[in-house]
Amino acid sequence: MICHDVLQYLDARDAGGAIRNLGGLCRGVLHFSVLTSEDWERHCDRKATDRNAHLRPADWYRRRLAVDFINAGSGMFVRRGAPIQLWELDRLEPRRAARRA
């Protein structure tokens, strides 16, 4: 499933609802991309990027996606419970809290 550069045009309520819908519809891997406030500040070409968007922090999206997905990096989110094996280093979120030596 692909959701590419759409949710930044929705207000917070509708974007949150769309993420919940993605969790209910996706059965495998979601490729997710959205312009975040950090991207606007640090990464994008402001002359070529549409500023007419709801810029939210990346963590706003991460928290909502984490309900139904495992963040596998590079915009890939694997649906929790999907029959897909992720190796430990494929996960951006640890299975458990890491202990410092």
Side-chain angles (χ1 to χ4, degrees), residues 9-48:
Y9 294 108
L10 302 178
D11 64 30
R13 183 175 153 248
D14 289 341
I19 291 171
R20 286 189 300 278
N21 287 342
L22 290 170
L25 294 170
C26 184
R27 296 291 173 241
V29 178
L30 169 67
H31 179 77
F32 185 84
S33 176
V34 67
L35 179 66
T36 67
S37 55
E38 294 90 348
D39 294 324
W40 179 258
E41 292 298 321
R42 299 181 208 144
H43 307 296
C44 71
D45 177 351
R46 293 183 188 186
K47 292 178 184 174

Side-chain angles (χ1 to χ4, degrees), residues 3-16 18 32-36 40 48-56 60-61:
C3 183
H4 188 71
D5 292 345
V6 173
L7 296 191
Q8 72 259 24
Y9 294 108
L10 302 178
D11 64 30
R13 183 175 153 248
D14 289 341
F32 185 84
S33 176
V34 67
L35 179 66
T36 67
W40 179 258
T49 303
D50 184 7
R51 170 61 169 99
N52 189 21
H54 297 277
L55 297 178
R56 293 179 272 271
W60 188 93
Y61 293 99

